[in-house]
């Protein structure tokens, strides 16, 4: 079945440093979604990428979807303490629909002031 | 404000008992989902429903049951057949099949004692 690998599992950064998490799928995806989960909270939808090579920005967050639509990344510039949490990617297989959504295990971002 | 309400937030169950987790949404979303989250793991799909009176098994449906008698409600029953039920359970919804999950409930933490 489809597998979505996400690395690293944990990332410690100093406040102000950049952070990147990577997501790789074993199969070609129709689209990929990113979510953020704060400690003790529930996932919050951040963005969906659909097109090959797509790049989207949300303030300090930059999302990329690979040309082959099998990998994606989330980059945060100049991290702040509010960025703390776990970032999940979730790939949608070619069958479409959230029933075909496979979540990565997430990257836990820990920020040291 | 529109959203998903899950109850209870914490639930303790004795071995051999069935318990039902509530999920209600007022977003007028067609599709609803139940995920299980274990420490250090991503979200795994238990059941999903695209429309009233219809639901499908996800990746880990064994030991669980659901119903979708109303559009707003998608309760999950954790039966005694579920071997390792202690986990964090998240209900989610999307406008319709094929659209991103845009809402999660705040979750129910189930502990078997």
């Amino acid at each position: 079945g489809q597998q979505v690998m996400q690395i690293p599992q944990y990332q410690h950064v100093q406040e102000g440093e950049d952070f990147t998490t990577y997501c790789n799928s074993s199969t070609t995806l129709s689209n990929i979604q990113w979510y953020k989960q704060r400690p003790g909270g529930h996932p919050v939808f951040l963005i969906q990428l659909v097109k090959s090579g797509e790049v989207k920005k949300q303030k300090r967050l930059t999302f990329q979807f690979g040309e082959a639509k099998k990998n994606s990344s989330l980059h945060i510039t100049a991290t702040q303490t509010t960025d703390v949490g776990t970032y999940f990617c979730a790939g949608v297989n070619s069958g479409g629909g959230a029933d075909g959504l496979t979540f990565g295990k997430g990257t836990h971002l820990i920020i040291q002031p | 404000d529109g959203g998903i309400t899950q109850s209870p937030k914490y639930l303790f169950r004795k071995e051999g008992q069935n318990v039902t987790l509530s999920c209600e949404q007022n977003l007028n979303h067609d599709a609803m989902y139940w995920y299980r989250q274990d420490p250090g793991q991503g979200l795994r799909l238990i059941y999903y429903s695209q429309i009233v009176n219809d639901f499908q098994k996800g990746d880990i449906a064994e030991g669980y049951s659901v119903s979708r008698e109303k559009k707003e409600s998608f309760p999950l029953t954790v039966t005694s057949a579920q071997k390792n039920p202690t986990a964090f359970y998240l209900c989610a919804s999307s406008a319709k099949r094929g659209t991103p999950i845009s809402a999660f409930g705040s979750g129910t933490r189930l502990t078997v004692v």
Side-chain angles (χ1 to χ4, degrees):
Chain A
Q2 179 187 3
Q3 292 185 351
V4 174
M5 306 299 293
Q6 199 174 345
I7 57 170
Q9 186 175 2
Y10 294 92
Q11 183 72 60
H12 294 252
V13 301
Q14 295 284 337
E15 186 176 8
E17 292 181 339
D18 292 355
F19 159 77
T20 304
T21 173
Y22 301 90
C23 188
N24 292 285
S25 170
S26 57
T27 59
T28 301
L29 302 169
S30 64
N31 68 76
I32 194 160
Q33 297 157 25
W34 285 91
Y35 296 82
K36 176 184 178 181
Q37 186 175 22
R38 292 182 181 273
H42 58 83
V44 173
F45 174 72
L46 295 177
I47 208 160
Q48 178 182 238
L49 304 172
V50 179
K51 299 178 182 177
S52 170
E54 189 171 15
V55 178
K56 287 188 176 180
K57 292 189 176 183
Q58 291 179 350
K59 297 183 180 178
R60 294 178 294 104
L61 278 61
T62 302
F63 304 84
Q64 294 189 0
F65 200 12
E67 294 289 342
K69 300 184 75 173
K70 295 182 73 174
N71 57 68
S72 181
S73 65
L74 159 59
H75 179 82
I76 302 178
T77 303
T79 55
Q80 300 174 0
T81 55
T82 54
D83 295 325
V84 165
T86 303
Y87 293 84
F88 292 97
C89 63
V92 180
N93 63 24
S94 57
D99 46 282
L101 196 64
T102 301
F103 280 82
K105 293 187 177 181
T107 294
H108 302 263
L109 174 59
I110 298 110
I111 297 177
Q112 296 157 339
Chain B
D1 288 338
I4 297 180
T5 301
Q6 279 189 249
S7 62
K9 189 170 184 178
Y10 298 96
L11 185 59
F12 295 88
R13 188 196 90 175
K14 292 183 179 179
E15 285 191 16
Q17 287 182 337
N18 293 353
V19 289
T20 297
L21 282 57
S22 171
C23 177
E24 302 280 332
Q25 56 102 355
N26 60 1
L27 299 163
N28 200 32
H29 283 178
D30 286 338
M32 297 185 73
Y33 313 85
W34 274 105
Y35 285 93
R36 170 180 172 143
Q37 186 175 30
D38 294 286
Q41 302 293 316
L43 280 67
R44 292 184 291 168
L45 182 64
I46 304 172
Y47 267 98
Y48 64 95
S49 169
Q50 299 171 22
I51 198 168
V52 174
N53 292 323
D54 181 66
F55 49 84
Q56 305 294 329
K57 292 182 178 180
D59 300 321
I60 55 166
E62 185 175 353
Y64 300 98
S65 66
V66 294
S67 63
R68 187 87 185 276
E69 298 177 0
K70 299 186 298 181
K71 186 175 186 177
E72 304 80 21
S73 179
F74 191 42
L76 173 73
T77 297
V78 184
T79 75
S80 57
Q82 168 52 232
K83 300 301 182 186
N84 185 22
T86 295
F88 188 51
Y89 291 87
L90 285 161
C91 181
S93 70
S94 63
K96 57 183 179 180
R97 186 177 187 272
T99 61
I101 290 178
S102 57
F104 277 90
S106 56
T108 293
R109 191 166 298 279
L110 173 64
T111 303
V112 174
V113 296

